[in-house]
Every structure is written in structure tokens, then in C-alpha cells.
Amino acid sequence: MSSESTSMPQAPSLGRYRVQVASRSVAAIGGGYVLAAMSAAAGALGFQLMGLSRPDATLAATMLSFVLYAIAAMWAFGCASAGRAWSGIGLPAVVLGVLTWWLMRGGQA
């Protein structure tokens, strides 16, 4: 009978659970905002390079960023760990930031 207690994984403590939920919340709200902002900036510049007018490019990129923000929030609470949530939101934000920087320079190396 004592083998049942050793075979079940231990649940995290209440404090650790709350820290994980808070970390996921910050990743969803703050990280998702940064990801959406970088997406809007890169998208607006990219759409302009593809021939759209500046207002149309900005509007299209902003609308797409709203979708990306919602996906980031769902990702933060849907993945297995808070670290994975941060990496799944942070790495694309950094890539989009570098892409924005590159496009602001005119797309030249």
C-alpha cells in the first residue's frame, strides 16, 4: 500500500503554483504586448515594401497583431511550463524586433 504514494508525482506547493501563474500572466500580458508591437512594426514596414500604401500597411499589420496577441495569451496558459511560455513568446518577439530594425534600415545588410 505504501508504493502508491511513491508512484504518484507530487503536486507543486501553493506558493510555487502561484508564482507560475503570475509568471504566465506577465508573459501573456506584457510579453504578448511586446510580441504584438514588434509584429505590427515589422508587418507595417514589410507590407509597405510589398506595395501597400502606408495607411493600409499599418492597418493590416495592426489587425494581424491583435490576432497574434490573442494567440500569445493562449500560448502562455496552454504550454507545459512557464519557461516554455516565455521562450515561445520572447524568441519570436526578438526575431521580429531584429526584422523591424533591418527593415527600418531599408532592408540592406
Side-chain angles (χ1 to χ4, degrees):
M1 293 292 177
S2 64
S3 65
E4 287 183 25
S5 63
T6 58
S7 64
M8 300 223 6
Q10 286 189 332
S13 67
L14 183 58
R16 184 179 171 108
Y17 174 75
R18 287 181 177 172
V19 168
Q20 289 177 355
V21 171
S23 178
R24 288 173 189 259
S25 298
V26 171
I29 296 168
Y33 179 82
V34 170
L35 179 63
M38 291 295 108
S39 169
L45 292 171
F47 287 146
Q48 283 182 34
L49 288 177
M50 292 190 317
L52 283 178
S53 66
R54 188 174 185 165
D56 289 341
T58 304
L59 181 63
T62 304
M63 297 301 280
L64 286 175
S65 72
F66 291 147
V67 173
L68 193 61
Y69 194 14
I71 291 171
M74 288 187 286
W75 169 262
F77 289 99
C79 62
S81 67
R84 189 175 290 175
W86 275 105
S87 64
I89 293 172
L91 290 177
V94 169
V95 169
L96 287 170
V98 170
L99 180 63
T100 301
W101 173 77
W102 183 68
L103 289 172
M104 286 179 67
R105 295 182 60 206
Q108 300 171 356

